[in-house]
Amino acid sequence: MNKYVHGYNENEANRLNNQADSLANLIHFDSIWNEGSLILEAGCGVGAQTKTVANHNPKSKFISIDISEDSIKEAQALIKSKQIENVEFLVADIFDLPFENQKFDHIFLCFVLEHLTNPVQALGKLKSKIKDNGTITIIEGDHGSTYFHPESEFADKAIQCQVELQRRYGGDANIGRKLFPMLEKSGFNKIAVSPRQVYVDDSNPKWVEGFTKNTFIAMIEGIKEDAISNNLIDKEVFERGIKDLYNTANGGGTFCYTFFKGKAVNFLS
Amino acid sequence: MNKYVHGYNENEANRLNNQADSLANLIHFDSIWNEGSLILEAGCGVGAQTKTVANHNPKSKFISIDISEDSIKEAQALIKSKQIENVEFLVADIFDLPFENQKFDHIFLCFVLEHLTNPVQALGKLKSKIKDNGTITIIEGDHGSTYFHPESEFADKAIQCQVELQRRYGGDANIGRKLFPMLEKSGFNKIAVSPRQVYVDDSNPKWVEGFTKNTFIAMIEGIKEDAISNNLIDKEVFERGIKDLYNTANGGGTFCYTFFKGKAVNFLS
């Protein structure tokens, strides 16, 4: 797998689990489906979102797939440790889904499309597996939604390295803003997208720690070697950028980032 | 007055009134104060916000001031035309307020601090006019919160001209993110800042027209001559930027902008 992709080592897995905890309410308070639903979670990774949505919907059944066998193993262990019993895991490819058409009541994806070269094609593949009048729910971030005080061109450049690396590996770190047009292109109906903005200031130290430092800055710090070895940035500039990002979290600063959640219905006729 | 400053000609006045109508709910739904309050609106301009807050609070009295006599005249005519009777207008300077200390129950400012060279000093001046346990409410935009699909470096450059012009005239177009630290520096208590994000996609044509086109793009188009004559940008780049901005509003695009609303209490002891 590509080195930059989140979730493929232990620290990353911890980071993603921390992230899911601090963000769970903002992005998942409405991740609820009617009881008795069969729900496909496409691209479950290490199970960071799985545990939340499965917990929120104890009377529905989840089939959670990921292309990485290692991630599926981690996700399985996590879900077992949480004593959650309504999830079945499977190693499978979104572009070659091992299910009959219209098998699922609903489909759920979180932080998955950002890594795909052809997200609209993926949505088409997924759409064929949704029952008539079933729904799809998608959550994505958008790194272009990041801004902060104090401003810093160094920090901007460090963040831009993540955007550029993800682009080089075929992904799109600025995908959140595109959910509506992508769902439209994929032929879904009744599309509704809502921004979920994280705004952090000194009045909320839990978010300063849990989001600004341990989620966002940790993510950017994680690409340091990759960014430098790909000649995207000088080591000094990157390090100054990280320092300036911490500056937004050390009293007197603010930090903004927006996630987008899209929901749409699949009408077959 | 500086040419870039909003509100000093008829088209600008119309634009600002349109803006206030489409944004009124997002930024003003909670612009409410206890009945019988005496409220200072500092920097009322042509009255675009005055009409909304005065309407929302018919049993409170507003004293609305602006440094521009022309703006005050327009604001007076607007408020009269709306048959609103709880506003008194006065030409006055925020930095030299003609009121005794602790005169007001509450103070309200909307799109004012962004134009001031020393907004924290202004907050200090205003603070001295608030009663013990009275509040201040501030609304500001943040141009750095602007992003859209399709992305465009030309559009980014055109927007950056507005930021740079405002900076040269002593203002700060990216002030929204700074409300919390500014209120803190000014000695206010119980500070709470909330982002008010405008997210526009094809599901809401009213916002495409009312916000993306008639508010945001109209504002950027309005600085064309100023930006070019100040050698901030080539005419062709600017025009391409405007074209690309319209592209975000012509089907298949999305547009994001965030306003910030800050509220804080003035404890005297």
Side-chain angles (χ1 to χ4, degrees), chain A residues 142 144-145 147-149 151 174 177-178 180-181 184 191 193-195 197 199 201-203 252 254 256 258 260, chain B residues 142 144-145 147-149 151 174 177-178 180-181 184 191 193-195 197 199 201-203 252 254 256 258 260:
Chain A
D142 191 312
S145 74
Y147 53 99
F148 36 81
H149 170 71
E151 294 185 57
N174 294 352
R177 73 190 75 175
K178 298 167 195 162
F180 189 97
E184 210 163 34
I191 306 162
V193 172
S194 60
Q197 187 171 18
Y199 161 72
D201 62 31
D202 289 343
S203 69
T254 61
C256 299
T258 299
F260 289 83
Chain B
D142 191 312
S145 75
Y147 53 101
F148 37 79
H149 171 71
E151 295 184 56
N174 295 352
R177 74 190 72 175
K178 298 167 196 164
F180 189 97
E184 210 163 34
I191 305 162
V193 172
S194 60
Q197 187 170 20
Y199 161 73
D201 62 32
D202 289 345
S203 69
T254 60
C256 299
T258 300
F260 289 82

Side-chain angles (χ1 to χ4, degrees), chain B:
Chain B
M1 291 302 299
N2 308 323
K3 275 191 289 178
Y4 92 98
V5 172
H6 323 317
Y8 290 95
N9 67 55
E10 199 179 335
N11 284 342
E12 266 295 283
N14 285 337
R15 189 185 72 79
L16 290 173
N17 280 318
N18 284 335
Q19 172 180 307
D21 286 342
S22 60
L23 287 177
N25 194 47
L26 182 72
I27 62 179
H28 286 311
F29 76 91
D30 53 354
S31 294
I32 49 172
W33 294 270
N34 43 320
E35 292 191 358
S37 293
L38 178 64
I39 299 163
L40 172 66
E41 184 192 10
C44 64
V46 296
Q49 316 303 323
T50 315
K51 70 175 195 295
T52 304
V53 294
N55 244 331
H56 278 10
N57 299 273
K59 297 196 172 167
S60 287
K61 184 182 168 190
F62 290 83
I63 296 181
S64 294
I65 66 167
D66 201 275
I67 198 167
S68 156
E69 195 171 340
D70 287 349
S71 292
I72 285 287
K73 279 180 187 163
E74 277 203 59
Q76 267 172 324
L78 175 70
I79 292 304
K80 198 178 173 190
S81 76
K82 303 275 177 191
Q83 294 169 304
I84 296 169
E85 295 182 338
N86 56 332
V87 186
E88 184 182 307
F89 288 97
L90 200 66
V91 177
D93 183 349
I94 289 175
F95 292 95
D96 186 21
L97 293 162
F99 308 112
E100 71 261 33
N101 282 348
Q102 297 153 50
K103 178 182 177 74
F104 296 96
D105 296 298
H106 306 290
I107 291 185
F108 167 75
L109 303 86
C110 189
F111 309 144
V112 174
L113 295 182
E114 60 166 326
H115 300 300
L116 305 181
T117 305
N118 197 336
V120 172
Q121 192 194 351
L123 289 177
K125 298 277 185 184
L126 292 165
K127 186 171 182 290
S128 68
K129 306 303 176 188
I130 307 176
K131 287 181 184 163
D132 183 29
N133 209 21
T135 68
I136 190 163
T137 298
I138 307 173
I139 301 170
E140 294 289 343
D142 191 312
H143 288 5
S145 75
T146 313
Y147 53 101
F148 37 79
H149 171 71
E151 295 184 56
S152 158
E153 57 176 311
F154 303 100
D156 290 343
K157 282 177 184 162
I159 295 165
Q160 200 49 40
C161 290
Q162 163 84 42
V163 175
E164 177 58 21
L165 280 175
Q166 198 152 342
R167 194 188 66 75
R168 289 188 184 190
Y169 291 123
D172 181 355
N174 295 352
I175 201 169
R177 74 190 72 175
K178 298 167 196 164
L179 282 189
F180 189 97
M182 287 192 317
L183 283 162
E184 210 163 34
K185 272 187 200 151
S186 310
F188 281 97
N189 309 93
K190 292 174 77 70
I191 305 162
V193 172
S194 60
R196 310 286 165 110
Q197 187 170 20
V198 177
Y199 161 73
V200 187
D201 62 32
D202 289 345
S203 69
N204 201 332
K206 196 182 151 192
W207 277 89
V208 173
E209 290 300 315
F211 188 79
T212 309
K213 289 186 185 175
N214 298 337
T215 299
F216 189 85
I217 302 177
M219 175 184 70
I220 302 300
E221 277 185 307
I223 58 143
K224 181 177 177 179
E225 284 177 31
D226 215 4
I228 293 166
S229 68
N230 276 281
N231 294 314
L232 295 183
I233 195 167
D234 288 338
K235 184 167 173 284
E236 293 67 33
V237 174
F238 190 89
E239 286 171 352
R240 170 71 189 275
I242 295 295
K243 186 170 164 274
D244 287 353
L245 281 175
Y246 275 108
N247 219 13
T248 72
N250 288 338
T254 60
F255 193 90
C256 299
Y257 187 92
T258 300
F259 296 90
F260 289 82
K261 187 165 186 172
K263 195 172 171 182
V265 184
N266 183 38
F267 291 157
L268 287 181
S269 50

